[in-house]
């Protein structure tokens, strides 16, 4: 329908504008995409809201518009949990929400809260190992993303126990992937 096309167009143009350094235009287009996303017609899960929220949150971090992030990260988390519930398994956006929350806490100078979010992410991965095995590349990407975005996971700056835990999970995922490749 119309709103799906509007959402897709605004999303794509918004991302392109952000890449080209036209931040104000990019943010406006992404906000328009977000407004159209819930109106998109889809059977079952509407992928647009989570995708647009993800892009908009990243754009707001890029432009240091920190004050606008709280409601969007909350909305992303709720939509991600709903997607996981509908699919009957953990979905990657639920982990992304925890990374966004940790990143926001870190920007605000609250490393303990950021560490709490990372621990919650690790707990979700451990509790959902079957889902993690079904989408190994995505889970590996999420853990790598968390490691690259968060100072608390920097081996030289971060909390040793947390850095080690994330590294151990990455090692498990990588080993499982290598094992599956050898079987094929």
């Amino acid at each position: 329908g119309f709103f799906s096309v509007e959402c897709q167009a605004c999303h794509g143009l918004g991302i392109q504008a952000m890449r080209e350094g036209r931040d104000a235009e990019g943010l406006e287009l992404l906000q328009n995409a977000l407004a159209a996303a819930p109106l998109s017609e889809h059977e079952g899960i509407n992928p647009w809201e989570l995708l647009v929220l993800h892009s908009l949150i990243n754009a707001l971090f890029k432009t240091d518009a920190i004050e606008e992030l709280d409601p969007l990260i909350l909305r992303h988390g709720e939509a991600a949990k709903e997607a996981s519930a509908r699919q009957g398994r953990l979905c990657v956006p639920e982990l992304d929400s925890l990374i966004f929350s940790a990143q926001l806490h870190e920007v605000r100078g609250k490393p303990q809260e950021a560490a709490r979010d990372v621990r919650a992410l690790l707990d979700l991965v451990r509790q959902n190992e079957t889902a993690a095995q079904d989408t190994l590349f995505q889970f590996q990407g999420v853990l790598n993303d968390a490691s690259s975005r968060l100072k608390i996971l920097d081996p030289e700056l971060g909390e040793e126990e947390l850095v080690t835990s994330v590294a151990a999970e990455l090692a498990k995922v990588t080993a499982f992937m290598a094992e599956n490749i050898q079987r094929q």
Side-chain angles (χ1 to χ4, degrees):
F2 170 78
F3 290 109
S4 290
V5 172
E6 180 182 8
C7 180
Q8 291 174 46
C10 287
H11 181 251
L13 291 169
I15 289 174
Q16 187 63 36
M18 293 298 296
R19 284 186 186 138
E20 293 173 358
R22 300 185 331 258
D23 294 345
E25 180 184 351
L27 287 171
E28 183 178 344
L29 285 162
L30 289 170
Q31 289 165 342
N32 289 343
L34 184 59
L39 304 172
S40 299
E41 297 171 15
H42 284 83
E43 291 182 25
I45 297 171
N46 180 344
W48 290 109
E49 184 175 24
L50 277 170
L51 180 65
V52 173
L53 278 166
H54 191 275
S55 298
L56 182 56
I57 290 167
N58 279 325
L60 290 168
F61 271 119
K62 177 186 177 217
T63 60
D64 294 322
I66 304 307
E67 67 283 349
E68 296 180 45
L69 286 166
D70 284 309
L72 296 175
I73 291 173
L74 181 62
R75 184 173 169 185
H76 186 277
E78 291 168 356
K81 285 179 184 175
E82 184 179 311
S84 290
R86 283 187 180 172
Q87 292 185 13
R89 64 179 178 85
L90 178 65
C91 295
V92 171
E94 199 168 339
L95 301 175
D96 289 334
S97 290
L98 290 166
I99 294 172
F100 288 143
S101 180
Q103 190 175 1
L104 183 58
H105 287 305
E106 211 173 60
V107 167
R108 289 186 171 152
K110 299 178 178 179
Q112 292 83 9
E113 287 87 347
R116 183 195 65 219
D117 290 331
V118 172
R119 285 186 182 89
L121 180 146
L122 290 171
D123 288 345
L124 270 176
V125 169
R126 290 173 184 142
Q127 291 166 8
N128 294 278
E129 284 190 5
T130 303
Q133 291 171 2
D134 292 341
T135 55
L136 288 173
F137 288 111
Q138 290 177 323
F139 279 92
Q140 184 182 39
V142 166
L143 292 172
N144 282 327
D145 189 35
S147 295
S148 68
R149 284 181 181 233
L150 300 170
K151 291 179 185 125
I152 59 170
L153 296 179
D154 182 321
E156 294 179 22
L157 304 172
E159 188 179 309
E160 184 177 347
E161 177 266 329
L162 205 54
V163 172
T164 303
S165 293
V166 170
E169 287 303 314
L170 266 169
K172 277 177 31 181
V173 168
T174 303
F176 189 81
M177 288 170 44
E179 186 180 306
N180 280 344
I181 289 170
Q182 286 179 343
R183 286 184 196 164
Q184 296 173 358

